[in-house]
Amino acid sequence: MHSVDAVEVFPRARPGSVLVHGDFGPNNMLLTDDGSHLTGLLDWEWAHAGDPVEDLAWCEWIVRTHHPRWVAALEGFFDAYGARPPWTARHRAMTARCRELVGFQPHRVDLLIATENWTE
């Protein structure tokens, strides 16, 4: 999806931006029975034009938060994507997304605080 020029989907998008899913993670993936191939992505309501680091960071956030025993598998995720953005960019994207969530779920400020305190 990051190979999709966002201007094709969002005509007012900044040139060079890409289609960002907005809630990218294992919870919104459909896989083959053996788990080896992605067959679909669900829940596109947060889609927007943006930077690919947003989806990469949010997938990492979901794994760190909800599936901590799989954190080591993130290495394969970044390898398959072909890039591992710097921690500072990923962390900034994670905390920005958490701030958005706290905006409509104020009781989840604990997630923002925890995320702000993470280190790679």
Side-chain angles (χ1 to χ4, degrees):
M1 78 192 142
H2 291 148
S3 63
V4 175
D5 183 334
V7 176
E8 296 174 26
V9 182
F10 302 102
R12 294 186 181 146
R14 176 181 42 84
S17 59
V18 299
L19 177 61
V20 173
H21 180 274
D23 193 14
F24 187 71
N27 52 311
N28 285 324
M29 295 179 185
L30 296 177
L31 304 170
T32 55
D33 286 342
D34 66 359
S36 64
H37 291 88
L38 181 69
T39 61
L41 288 174
L42 306 173
D43 297 333
W44 285 86
E45 67 270 18
W46 294 102
H48 62 278
D51 185 324
V53 75
E54 294 177 57
D55 278 342
L56 298 174
W58 195 244
C59 183
E60 180 177 0
W61 185 90
I62 288 170
V63 170
R64 283 174 169 248
T65 303
H66 301 291
H67 312 285
R69 71 177 191 274
W70 293 103
V71 168
L74 288 168
E75 198 62 43
F77 169 68
F78 289 120
D79 287 347
Y81 187 75
R84 182 186 189 105
W87 169 248
T88 54
R90 296 186 340 260
H91 190 239
R92 185 173 42 252
M94 286 182 226
T95 55
R97 181 76 171 111
C98 284
R99 280 188 194 95
E100 290 175 18
L101 295 175
V102 168
F104 62 88
Q105 291 184 326
H107 65 284
R108 294 315 320 251
V109 72
D110 60 317
L111 293 175
L112 172 60
I113 293 167
T115 303
E116 287 176 331
N117 289 310
W118 282 349
T119 59
E120 189 173 30

